[in-house]
Amino acid sequence: MRFSKLVVESFQAIQRAEVEFGPGLNVLYGPNDLGKSTLATAIRAALLVAPSSAEASSFTPWYADATPRVSLTFSDEGGHHWKVNKAFGSSGGSTGAELLHSKDGTSFALDCKARQVEEKIRALLAWGIPAPGGKTGPRGLPTSFLANVLLGAQTDVDAILGKSLAEDLDGTGKLRLTNALATLAQDPLFKKVFDAAQGEVDQCFTATGKRKRGQTSKFTEAGQHVKQLRADLDGLQRQLAESTGIEGAVNALRERRAQAQVRLGEAAAALATVRDHMVKARTRDDAGALLDTAMNALGVIDAQVARVNLLSDEVDALTARVGVREEDVSRAVAECTAAESAVHVAEQAYRIATSEDGAKDRELRRAQLGEQLAELSTRKQTAQTRKTELSGAIATRATAQSARAAAVSANAAIEQLASQLAHAKQRTQEAENDLEFTRALVAYGRWRAASAASEDGAKAAQSAAADRQEAEEKDAAATKLLGDVRTMEEELVRRREVLPTDEEAKSLAKLERDLEMAEAALGGGLSVAVRPRVGVRIQAVVDQNPSIDDNNLATQRVFEAERIVRLCVGDVVDIEITVGAADHRRGVEDLRARWSAEQVPALARAGVESVTEMLGAIATIAKETAVVVDITKQAAQLRADAKILHDRAVLHEQQAAKLAVDDGDLQERKDAIGSIDPELLQTHLESLGKSWESRANALQTQKSNEDKAAKTQLATLEQNAKVAEYHATAAEEHAGKCASAWEEALAALGPGAPVPDELLRTTDEDLLSISRREAGLASALEGLAMEATGQVESAARAVEEASIRHVAAKRAHGAAVAAADVAKADLNARIGERNLLRAQVDAMDRASAAALCAVRETELASLPDAPSVSDADIANAERKVVDATDELEIEKEELHKSEGALSKVGGAAVRDEVERVQDALNAAEQRERDLEVDADAWKLLLDTLRDVENEEGAHLGRALAGPIATKFGELTAGRYRNLRLDAKLRTESVDVATGVAAGADVLEGLSVGTRDQLATLIRVTIADQLNTVIVLDDHLVHSDPKRLAWFREVLTKTALRTQVIVFTCRPEDYLSRSELPDGAASRDLAGGAVRVLDMVRVVKRWEGQGSTPPLAAPEPQDGEAQA
Amino acid sequence: MTAAAEDDIVLKLLHTADWHMGRRFRSFNEKSEEKLTRARLDVLDRILLAAERYVVDAVLCAGDLFDEPCPQPEWWEQVAVRFAKRNWKNRPVFLLPGNHDPFIAESIWAKGHKFRALLPDWVHVVDREDFEFALPNNAVLYAVPCTSKAGQRDPTQAIPKRAPRDERIRIGMVHGSTFDVKDCQTNFPIAVDAALTCGLDYLAIGDTHGFRYVPPDRVHPPTIYPGAPEPTAFDEKDPGFVAVVLVDRRRRAHVTRERVARWTWEEQRVTTLAALAELDRRTDLGERVLRLCVEMKLSAPDYEIAEGLLEGLQGTDARHPKVGVLDLDRQGLELDTSNVDTFCTDLPDVLQSAVRRLKADADDPVKRPAAQRALFHLYRVSRKKAS
């Protein structure tokens, strides 16, 4: 720490004083009671006394009612400048403290105020004085061992020799001393390790023990690397998540699409199966119907055949009966013949037996009777013939009636068939209508679809136009942006071209850092004093800054520099004085050479003055480049959007082209609808739902099948009707023929004749009458015979018997003939009926009918069994197909969208990148941990070394004792040696060089002057080690000139390294008379290494007042130390 | 190959892929990353030299030639420069965009891009799906580019099938994952029998970084991944090759692989000081990218030896590294603190006290890493002094 300026106002005896200190030895001289000690007090007040404390009340000006004010400007070891302003007093707005901070020593800014000022200053000083307040806070004037050492009051020797760090209220003073004196206290090997650890810790940690996080910190670099990688990884992981999500979605959608396809296939297969079952069932039904029809037809034929067979059997039976009857007739005829022969014989016998006359008469009567019998026989034959004819006619009539009945039956069948046919025709018509309706429905649906497609096409064309227009707008916007980008890029390129590359910039920045480091390694502090013997032109450059250009410098001039001073002395010589070791300087020179060769041209080319500015320019260009990249991305996005829109327009156009329907085609489709009410079709179409086409097609197929089935049934019925018509016609024709035969028979009977039945009955009666007359005649003949003789009688009886026999025979014959005729009539009727039926059967073609039945059976047998299928089943299956189709379309659309999205993601590339960045992040984090562990290790080592050192007694006393004892020996000409200080710097003892170990008691035995000298030596040595200012207020007042001269030398040397402020009333102890300022307030000597200040000119006391306070200064309170 | 067999060859091709120009290797330090990144460019020269040495009729570059669609200009400029150095009027080169560098509007493959303008006219970019190019001796090349970073369409589906009586030598070139590769579904999946179904006599593909026959039974016609010509990771199997394809008169393709890589990536785990010393004695480490995992617990002197060996392998500002690129995992390298004090008896008391304190700290699991390292630092710095 160094003081640079002190301003005091209204402070005890001083009205105002303003002192600017030099960096080295400052000798402030003046007579007693001028206020020198007051200034020392003011310094202590500025650094240690709170404005409102009790101690502050002693600062009150003696001769004015004013607020004491002190302002002290100082710099710390870190190069920071501070200014503390304090206005002392118990209250009021004018009192208080403030601390200002500056990096350059000229521009100060408020750092803190009030109580924080004391905290901050005590932390900066690290003198073992805790912050005010609290349990450990000092009361009264705060003090400590170091405060006494550095700002100790006049002649306060005991505060140095009798006290130590042990009395300090906190350990900061000891820590600071420990740090400062460590190099003096350590074993060389310990020091080596300690230095190594300290070096590493200094690189890694701040003074407060935190890890350095500045730009050049390796933690920062490693942390930034980790942070960058983590940010990159986060971004990549977001991309990956998006990519993975979309990939997963695509895969899931592919799977779902496959499943939907499977489900659609299953539904379609189920629908096909159901439809197949339905078709098969219907086919089986149709085949069964056809078989039934064929079987019916065959049954009709077989019934007819059975009937024919039955009739044939009846005919056979009747034929047999006719044969029996005819045999009966034959036998009757034979009997008749035999009876006639018997009659004839008997008559012959009778005629013989009777006379000629009588015989003749009887003959005549017998002839008459014979003639009558013959006539009766003729009449009987005629009657019998008529009876036969009448029976035939009656049989014909019966046949006609039967045929007519058959015709009626056939006509009834025809009517039934006609009814069925009409029904079938109706069904066929209905089926055709349904078919037509479904065709119309399909046509309507297609027309509607075409219309809708046409409308969609038109909309798509509109969308395409809109998309294309938007695409062109975006494209134009992108083109404009890209044009702007090109302009910006050209500008950036132009600006970037004059700047070095990033690597070069890094290299230059590194060079600058290296140069700074190297210069820093040179150490700091250079003082060059120029004392011209004659006036000469001096040009000086101090630390690269021109200092003076004096054409005729005649007086001494001191140049203070950190690194280098360049002097140009007239035209004679240029002098360059550089601080630091030779090898370090060479390094600096090399770096400077590189600087001149590399950086200066680069900066000139870049038109900037510093690397920072150049880096800023590069960063600015990088930022602008990023902006350009962003704009480029925007343009690319616009282009991409435009491309998407364009592609979409193309798709829309393709869709429009695909959907476009020719008007003629549309009209054709409309015409195909036919005349069916479109509203009805629309209603029906809507009821079919989305999959109307498949449903309508299925419906059309169904109606078509129904139509075919109806037509097939109609054809069968028509065929059956034709067969029935044939049968009816044949029966009617047969009936007609029979009727004709009947009519002919009636005609043959003549007009007005009774009906044949009556005639037949009459004929039968005639025949019976004839038979009776024949029997009478036969009896007459027999009577004639009885008129003859016995023989005649026997002959007559014979004749009678023969006649009876004959009559009986004839009667039997007649009955037999009648029976035969009846049988024949029955036979003929049956034959007629049979022949009619047979003709019908022959016309029926049973073989074909049977073959048709066989074919139908085969067909039916060949048809597979199928479960029963209802329309609901079909509708259900169709609905499932529709649902599956809809689902598949949805999945396809989703998949299409996801596939589109898939093309926008990173895919495997980003997956790879994530893995690599993750590896890099792991490695970077590991490196960061390694750095931290290594730094922690060094810090732990350093802390351990310190702890051990403290605890092992490698203490401060040993560190300081050596140099102090050496100097004390020099000062006392070897009389005293082996000064011992304890670990807390309490002075323990000193040995007397005579060989007698005086021990601690010797200290008590030292003279006041020697004690003062020893205390001063200790103070100066500590200040020297701490490299901080020391204020000596009228010390060494008991020293002789020789020792004073020795001390002056010591102080001058010390002042080369640290600031020494001496208040003295005896300037000659330090200066020759010629060195005093001649009428000036101050004078710098030895190139500024020594500053002499005339207090008389610096301090303004209250006008006309004495040098003592008007009132006694307040006594210190108990427990307060006096400064 | 015999002279007769040589005479039987009617078409020679060099097939390469997966250059990944511009790929970063961020898990390595800056210097190593630069070496490995630059190696992508260097291997291109060896690939082109191999093409000249084999006097091939064409060079097929099957995708992922750049690590991203818009790489930094230094990469595509250098690629173009390397082509421009040659005068291969009769040796066309075909560059296929892959999934890492798909053919998109803003990519370097775009027709208006400067890269295209820099390419010689015998370098052809496959920038359309129906790319077809007549090769010498009645041969034809069909190639299909990737137009996005991900996709699920098999690119070989865009290659026309062999027509009846088409006796030409048909070569295909696409980029993607064959069906036997994990996650192939969205990385342009290629059917393993695509060459057969497309009627190709050779199918040149890219994506996998190791040389691989697809399918592995090596049935004709061959489908080949040549792999990355310069390895990019430790877990790659058989990287570092190009495929040299010789097609005979019977349209049978004979494939051999030619190593072009400079770097060999190797992983080593050492658990003894002797093994580490043996590794240190190897003379082939200069061309190795070595991932070294050190797992051993050593006494302080051995630990120092191990540190010295590792330093030698890794190099310092003053010494070249023995290993070309070293990825050192030393998490398993531990200092045996149980007897560390026995090696410090010659140290000053204060340092011995420090050793004892640090040894006690090393017993604390939380402090152990720092304490062990601190002990080593103390030991090493004090030894240096002693020596």
Side-chain angles (χ1 to χ4, degrees):
Chain A
M1 184 172 69
R2 280 178 167 81
F3 297 156
S4 52
K5 186 174 184 180
L6 173 69
V7 178
V8 178
E9 290 181 6
S10 306
F11 197 94
Q12 293 181 342
I14 297 177
Q15 184 180 6
R16 177 177 172 81
E18 181 171 339
V19 181
E20 289 198 18
F21 298 104
L25 176 62
N26 293 267
V27 179
L28 289 80
Y29 72 95
N32 289 329
D33 290 337
L34 185 62
K36 300 187 296 298
S37 295
T38 303
L39 285 183
T41 302
I43 291 172
R44 284 194 292 274
L47 293 176
L48 303 174
V49 179
S52 58
S53 68
E55 180 68 22
S57 61
S58 66
F59 305 151
T60 306
W62 294 350
Y63 303 106
D65 182 14
T67 301
R69 296 177 185 276
V70 178
S71 173
L72 179 62
T73 306
F74 62 95
S75 58
D76 63 17
E77 286 75 10
H80 295 271
H81 299 269
W82 304 90
K83 180 189 285 186
V84 55
N85 296 325
K86 287 185 179 177
F88 297 94
S90 57
S91 63
S94 60
T95 62
E98 63 178 11
L99 182 64
L100 298 94
H101 173 255
S102 171
K103 288 183 177 177
D104 56 8
T106 56
S107 303
F108 283 87
L110 181 65
D111 186 82
C112 58
K113 296 174 76 173
R115 182 189 182 93
Q116 292 176 344
V117 173
E118 309 306 324
E119 295 175 4
K120 187 69 175 275
I121 290 176
R122 292 174 192 184
L124 285 170
L125 296 175
W127 284 355
I129 303 173
K135 291 181 180 178
T136 59
R139 300 288 186 270
L141 177 65
T143 185
S144 69
F145 180 73
L146 277 182
N148 290 332
V149 166
L150 299 173
L151 299 182
Q154 188 174 344
T155 66
D156 192 2
V157 173
D158 290 341
I160 305 301
L161 299 181
K163 299 199 174 187
S164 72
L165 292 166
E167 284 79 29
D168 284 359
L169 294 176
D170 76 7
T172 54
K174 184 189 176 197
L175 179 64
R176 187 169 180 196
L177 268 172
T178 302
N179 289 338
L181 302 180
T183 54
L184 298 177
Q186 294 150 357
D187 177 274
L189 186 54
F190 179 89
K191 185 173 182 302
K192 178 70 177 175
V193 178
F194 190 91
D195 286 348
Q198 185 70 62
E200 293 290 341
V201 169
D202 288 346
Q203 280 188 16
C204 300
F205 295 93
T206 64
T208 57
K210 294 180 179 175
R211 289 199 180 94
K212 285 186 176 176
R213 295 294 178 186
Q215 284 292 323
T216 57
S217 166
K218 50 189 176 183
F219 298 118
T220 302
E221 185 183 355
Q224 285 176 345
H225 191 206
V226 168
K227 189 175 175 185
Q228 179 64 46
L229 285 169
R230 197 169 283 144
D232 292 351
L233 185 62
D234 287 345
L236 286 167
Q237 281 176 333
R238 279 195 295 276
Q239 290 180 40
L240 179 60
E242 181 189 7
S243 184
T244 306
I246 292 174
E247 287 174 2
V250 167
N251 288 334
L253 285 171
R254 279 163 61 94
E255 181 64 26
R256 283 166 52 185
R257 183 187 65 179
Q259 291 173 354
Q261 282 175 332
V262 169
R263 282 195 289 275
L264 176 58
E266 290 172 351
L271 176 60
T273 303
V274 172
R275 280 181 175 161
D276 185 50
H277 289 166
M278 186 188 73
V279 170
K280 285 175 179 174
R282 287 187 176 170
T283 305
R284 282 187 70 85
D285 290 346
D286 292 344
L290 290 173
L291 178 60
D292 289 344
T293 303
M295 292 294 285
N296 287 338
L298 185 60
V300 170
I301 293 173
D302 284 345
Q304 295 286 64
V305 169
R307 177 66 181 158
V308 167
N309 291 338
L310 182 61
L311 289 173
S312 294
D313 292 344
E314 288 181 1
V315 166
D316 290 345
L318 287 171
T319 302
R321 277 175 61 187
V322 167
V324 171
R325 294 293 178 267
E326 283 180 345
E327 286 177 358
D328 290 344
V329 169
S330 298
R331 280 193 298 272
V333 169
E335 182 63 26
C336 279
T337 303
E340 280 179 354
S341 298
V343 167
H344 183 70
V345 170
E347 283 176 350
Q348 281 294 336
Y350 181 78
R351 266 183 317 265
I352 293 167
T354 65
S355 61
E356 236 174 89
D357 290 342
K360 288 183 180 180
D361 186 42
R362 283 193 300 268
E363 190 65 36
L364 183 58
R365 285 192 298 177
R366 205 171 29 239
Q368 287 177 341
L369 290 170
E371 286 177 358
Q372 289 179 352
L373 280 170
E375 184 184 351
L376 286 172
S377 178
T378 303
R379 283 179 57 197
K380 188 177 181 181
Q381 190 173 359
T382 302
Q384 285 177 337
T385 302
R386 177 174 290 177
K387 185 181 178 182
T388 303
E389 290 173 354
L390 287 170
S391 298
I394 288 170
T396 303
R397 187 188 64 185
T399 303
Q401 287 174 343
S402 176
R404 191 162 292 119
V408 169
S409 174
N411 283 328
I414 288 171
E415 284 180 2
Q416 187 181 358
L417 283 170
S419 172
Q420 292 179 357
L421 201 55
H423 184 63
K425 281 181 178 174
Q426 186 180 353
R427 280 181 56 196
T428 305
Q429 186 59 45
E430 287 174 357
E432 283 182 350
N433 290 341
D434 289 347
L435 181 59
E436 184 59 25
F437 183 80
T438 53
R439 281 178 182 153
L441 185 63
V442 171
Y444 178 75
R446 287 177 179 162
W447 173 73
R448 282 296 308 273
S451 297
S454 179
E455 290 172 3
D456 291 345
K459 288 178 184 172
Q462 290 176 355
S463 299
D467 287 345
R468 195 174 286 286
Q469 184 179 357
E470 189 178 352
E472 287 171 356
E473 289 172 0
K474 291 204 171 192
D475 218 11
T479 304
K480 183 177 180 308
L481 281 178
L482 287 174
D484 295 345
V485 163
R486 273 196 292 278
T487 306
M488 295 169 73
E489 282 178 339
E490 288 169 0
E491 173 63 17
L492 286 173
V493 167
R494 186 186 62 73
R495 287 163 54 195
R496 190 67 177 83
E497 280 174 351
V498 301
L499 293 169
T501 65
D502 290 343
E503 292 301 322
E504 290 170 346
K506 283 182 186 174
S507 174
L508 290 175
K510 184 174 184 305
L511 176 59
E512 188 179 51
R513 282 198 307 276
D514 292 345
L515 184 55
E516 288 173 357
M517 296 288 288
E519 287 178 339
L522 290 176
L526 181 62
S527 178
V528 177
V530 179
R531 300 187 186 91
R533 297 177 185 277
V534 294
V536 64
R537 180 181 180 186
I538 299 292
Q539 293 171 286
V541 177
V542 177
D543 287 337
Q544 314 294 337
N545 300 314
S547 179
I548 65 161
D549 184 358
D550 192 337
N551 279 328
N552 189 17
L553 182 69
T555 59
Q556 171 178 301
R557 183 68 182 260
V558 177
F559 300 98
E560 296 289 339
E562 287 294 322
R563 312 278 182 231
I564 187 168
V565 174
R566 290 192 181 87
L567 295 172
C568 178
V569 182
D571 297 329
V572 180
V573 63
D574 289 338
I575 302 169
E576 183 171 301
I577 302 130
T578 307
V579 74
D583 52 344
H584 286 178
R585 284 204 311 274
R586 278 194 293 276
V588 170
E589 290 304 322
D590 290 344
L591 288 170
R592 281 181 184 154
R594 280 184 60 197
W595 174 274
S596 299
E598 296 175 15
Q599 191 172 31
V600 172
L603 295 178
R605 189 167 60 250
V608 296
E609 295 181 351
S610 67
V611 173
T612 305
E613 191 180 348
M614 182 182 69
L615 291 174
I618 292 173
T620 302
I621 290 175
K623 284 180 185 171
E624 291 178 7
T625 304
V627 171
V628 168
V629 170
D630 286 343
I631 296 174
T632 306
K633 286 180 180 174
Q634 288 175 18
Q637 185 59 47
L638 283 171
R639 278 269 157 82
D641 292 346
K643 185 173 184 305
I644 291 170
L645 286 168
H646 182 266
D647 293 345
R648 201 164 73 187
V650 170
L651 282 175
H652 280 150
E653 285 168 358
Q654 290 172 349
Q655 191 179 5
K658 194 188 293 181
L659 292 172
V661 181
D662 182 57
D663 289 344
D665 185 26
L666 202 60
Q667 187 58 43
E668 262 183 37
R669 288 171 185 255
K670 190 170 184 181
D671 292 344
I673 298 169
S675 58
I676 298 176
D677 183 8
E679 289 186 2
L680 182 62
L681 291 171
Q682 178 61 29
T683 304
H684 202 80
L685 194 65
E686 288 172 355
S687 69
L688 293 178
K690 286 184 180 176
S691 57
W692 62 269
E693 188 162 14
S694 61
R695 289 183 174 178
N697 284 331
L699 194 60
Q700 187 176 357
T701 305
Q702 177 191 348
K703 295 301 178 188
S704 176
N705 291 336
E706 288 175 0
D707 183 50
K708 285 178 185 172
K711 284 181 176 173
T712 304
Q713 190 176 11
L714 181 62
T716 305
L717 286 171
E718 283 175 347
Q719 188 180 0
N720 291 343
K722 284 179 183 174
V723 171
E725 281 176 0
Y726 174 78
H727 289 166
T729 304
E732 284 176 353
E733 190 178 346
H734 188 60
K737 285 179 182 176
C738 289
S740 298
W742 171 254
E743 292 298 328
E744 285 175 0
L746 289 178
L749 290 176
V755 294
D757 297 319
E758 185 61 28
L759 283 174
L760 183 60
R761 186 180 60 78
T762 308
T763 304
D764 285 340
E765 287 176 352
D766 285 348
L767 284 171
L768 185 59
S769 173
I770 291 169
S771 295
R772 287 173 181 164
R773 281 196 66 192
E774 282 178 341
L777 288 172
S779 297
L781 281 172
E782 192 176 350
L784 282 172
M786 290 177 66
E787 290 175 5
T789 63
Q791 289 176 353
V792 172
E793 289 179 356
S794 69
R797 282 193 298 272
V799 168
E800 188 180 0
E801 291 174 356
S803 293
I804 293 169
R805 182 185 167 195
H806 183 251
V807 168
K810 279 192 176 178
R811 189 178 295 131
H813 175 262
V817 167
D821 288 343
V822 169
K824 284 181 181 175
D826 289 343
L827 176 61
N828 287 335
R830 293 292 184 274
I831 289 173
E833 185 180 0
R834 186 196 66 183
N835 289 344
L836 179 59
L837 289 174
R838 183 172 287 164
Q840 290 176 359
V841 169
D842 291 344
M844 281 181 177
D845 192 4
R846 184 184 184 283
S848 298
L852 184 60
C853 280
V855 168
R856 295 287 186 249
E857 281 180 343
T858 306
E859 287 176 353
L860 183 59
S862 68
L863 293 174
D865 288 335
S868 168
V869 176
S870 66
D871 288 343
D873 294 335
I874 293 285
N876 188 32
E878 286 177 344
R879 192 176 63 252
K880 286 183 178 174
V881 170
V882 170
D883 292 345
T885 304
D886 292 346
E887 185 188 4
L888 179 60
E889 289 302 320
I890 291 170
E891 298 299 346
K892 280 182 178 175
E893 190 175 348
E894 290 294 321
L895 182 59
H896 183 68
K897 287 179 187 173
S898 293
E899 284 174 349
L902 185 62
S903 66
K904 307 293 182 192
V905 302
V910 76
R911 194 174 296 115
D912 291 347
E913 185 69 9
V914 164
E915 289 179 4
R916 288 188 282 114
V917 174
Q918 181 67 62
D919 288 346
L921 176 60
N922 293 340
E925 287 177 337
Q926 186 57 51
R927 274 201 290 273
E928 188 181 31
R929 282 195 295 274
D930 284 346
L931 280 176
E932 290 173 354
V933 168
D934 200 55
D936 290 345
W938 283 113
K939 191 167 185 294
L940 177 63
L941 177 58
L942 184 65
D943 292 343
T944 304
L945 291 174
R946 280 180 176 152
D947 291 346
V948 168
E949 184 204 19
N950 283 333
E951 292 183 12
E952 291 294 317
H955 47 60
L956 302 175
R958 279 213 295 271
L960 272 179
I964 294 174
T966 302
K967 288 178 181 172
F968 195 47
E970 289 177 8
L971 177 67
T972 59
R975 183 172 180 183
Y976 300 104
R977 60 186 183 185
N978 292 338
L979 175 69
R980 282 179 289 278
L981 305 175
D982 70 6
K984 304 297 182 185
L985 296 186
R986 189 189 305 276
T987 306
E988 290 181 326
S989 64
V990 64
D991 295 344
V992 178
T994 55
V996 179
D1001 295 339
V1002 173
L1003 286 175
E1004 298 299 327
L1006 293 178
S1007 68
V1008 172
T1010 304
R1011 283 167 57 85
D1012 187 14
Q1013 291 153 12
L1014 177 58
T1016 302
L1017 258 183
I1018 292 172
R1019 293 178 65 190
V1020 170
T1021 304
I1022 290 174
D1024 193 11
Q1025 291 303 319
L1026 290 178
N1027 190 21
T1028 192
V1029 61
I1030 181 170
V1031 177
L1032 301 173
D1033 183 12
D1034 256 348
H1035 64 296
L1036 303 175
V1037 293
H1038 305 292
S1039 300
D1040 59 42
K1042 185 178 178 185
R1043 291 192 176 182
L1044 276 174
W1046 182 89
F1047 259 106
R1048 187 169 59 221
E1049 183 69 20
V1050 168
L1051 290 176
T1052 303
K1053 287 181 180 175
T1054 302
L1056 292 175
R1057 295 183 290 275
T1058 189
Q1059 190 180 35
V1060 179
I1061 298 174
V1062 175
F1063 292 100
T1064 182
C1065 58
R1066 296 175 289 118
E1068 61 275 14
D1069 290 350
Y1070 301 93
L1071 307 164
S1072 64
R1073 184 162 296 278
S1074 64
E1075 289 175 330
L1076 297 177
D1078 188 11
S1082 66
R1083 182 178 179 184
D1084 287 345
L1085 306 174
V1090 179
R1091 174 167 294 182
V1092 185
L1093 294 109
D1094 183 356
M1095 296 293 287
V1096 174
R1097 297 183 184 279
V1098 170
V1099 175
K1100 182 179 182 184
R1101 294 177 59 85
W1102 298 103
E1103 288 292 338
Q1105 304 301 329
S1107 58
T1108 55
L1111 297 173
E1115 291 295 327
Q1117 296 176 4
D1118 291 343
E1120 291 183 346
Q1122 187 172 0
Chain B
M1 181 174 286
T2 64
E6 185 78 33
D7 289 343
D8 200 30
I9 299 302
V10 294
L11 183 68
K12 292 182 184 177
L13 303 171
L14 186 141
H15 169 200
T16 177
D18 295 281
W19 298 348
H20 287 283
M21 295 289 177
R23 167 160 288 196
R24 295 196 61 188
F25 296 88
R26 300 170 73 176
S27 57
F28 295 89
N29 62 37
E30 195 174 342
K31 193 178 290 183
S32 298
E33 181 181 1
E34 186 181 354
K35 281 183 188 175
L36 296 175
T37 306
R38 293 291 306 179
R40 312 294 112 195
L41 271 177
D42 297 340
V43 78
L44 180 54
D45 284 326
R46 293 192 291 278
I47 292 171
L48 299 180
L49 282 173
E52 288 172 341
R53 192 165 65 251
Y54 281 93
V55 199
V56 299
D57 296 305
V59 177
L60 312 180
C61 309
D64 282 357
L65 308 179
F66 295 92
D67 203 45
E68 53 183 313
C70 309
Q72 293 297 314
E74 61 182 296
W75 300 108
W76 52 260
E77 283 173 357
Q78 286 299 312
V79 170
V81 164
R82 278 160 171 78
F83 282 127
K85 283 179 184 172
R86 286 163 171 82
N87 187 21
W88 287 0
K89 293 294 184 190
N90 297 318
R91 182 178 295 132
V93 175
F94 302 95
L95 306 181
L96 179 76
N99 67 317
H100 274 263
D101 54 351
F103 175 56
I104 53 180
E106 61 272 23
S107 70
I108 56 164
W109 307 117
K111 284 183 178 165
H113 197 279
K114 198 175 173 184
F115 175 56
R116 296 287 298 268
L118 292 176
L119 292 174
D121 56 3
W122 42 267
V123 178
H124 306 276
V125 174
V126 179
D127 54 5
R128 57 184 195 276
E129 279 209 342
D130 58 346
F131 186 89
E132 181 177 341
F133 194 93
L135 297 173
N137 294 327
N138 199 27
V140 62
L141 170 69
Y142 296 99
V144 184
C146 290
T147 54
S148 60
K149 288 194 171 184
Q152 60 170 359
R153 198 183 64 126
D154 183 348
T156 60
Q157 289 180 350
I159 296 177
K161 305 287 183 287
R162 184 186 288 276
R165 292 185 295 281
D166 182 356
E167 298 299 327
R168 293 177 300 170
I169 298 170
R170 286 164 53 91
I171 308 295
M173 178 164 70
V174 295
H175 186 94
S177 295
T178 50
F179 282 2
D180 49 356
V181 176
K182 181 176 177 286
D183 292 331
C184 71
Q185 293 86 348
T186 53
N187 189 27
F188 306 101
I190 301 170
V192 290
D193 59 349
L196 203 60
T197 55
C198 290
L200 298 171
D201 300 303
Y202 179 78
L203 178 56
I205 58 179
D207 191 51
T208 296
H209 287 193
F211 189 94
R212 193 160 75 86
Y213 278 84
V214 180
D217 57 4
R218 303 189 181 192
V219 294
H220 283 87
T223 299
I224 297 292
Y225 278 116
E230 194 66 77
T232 61
F234 288 105
D235 57 355
E236 291 167 352
K237 185 184 176 192
D238 285 342
F241 295 96
V242 295
V244 178
V245 186
L246 309 178
V247 187
D248 64 21
R249 295 181 191 283
R250 295 181 300 285
R251 301 204 323 248
R252 292 174 65 87
H254 307 273
V255 183
T256 56
R257 63 184 196 179
E258 175 82 9
R259 181 168 172 82
V260 291
R262 172 191 170 191
W263 295 97
T264 299
W265 292 48
E266 179 182 343
E267 290 182 282
Q268 283 283 345
R269 176 173 168 270
V270 295
T271 55
T272 64
L273 188 59
L276 185 61
E278 187 178 351
L279 178 69
D280 183 64
R281 285 192 292 274
R282 277 175 52 175
T283 58
D284 61 344
L285 296 177
E287 303 293 311
R288 299 279 164 162
V289 179
L290 180 64
R291 173 176 285 169
L292 179 58
C293 178
V294 184
E295 291 180 359
M296 48 192 171
K297 191 171 188 177
L298 301 173
S299 65
D302 286 349
Y303 194 96
E304 189 178 15
I305 294 170
E307 284 286 356
L309 291 173
L310 292 175
E311 192 176 278
L313 292 174
Q314 202 162 15
T316 64
D317 290 340
R319 291 170 61 186
H320 286 298
K322 285 188 178 178
V323 181
V325 174
L326 181 63
D327 178 16
L328 179 60
D329 177 4
R330 50 178 299 157
Q331 287 301 296
L333 179 61
E334 286 189 67
L335 175 67
D336 185 357
T337 57
S338 62
N339 58 355
V340 66
D341 45 350
T342 62
F343 300 100
C344 301
T345 53
D346 57 337
L347 296 180
D349 291 344
V350 64
L351 288 181
Q352 290 193 46
S353 295
V355 167
R356 284 191 292 276
R357 278 176 176 248
L358 291 171
K359 185 181 170 187
D361 286 340
D363 293 336
D364 181 350
V366 176
K367 291 184 178 177
R368 182 175 299 144
Q372 284 189 342
R373 196 76 65 88
L375 274 169
F376 172 69
H377 288 322
L378 191 157
Y379 177 84
R380 185 169 56 92
V381 175
S382 61
R383 290 300 110 180
K384 278 187 178 175
K385 176 67 178 175
S387 64

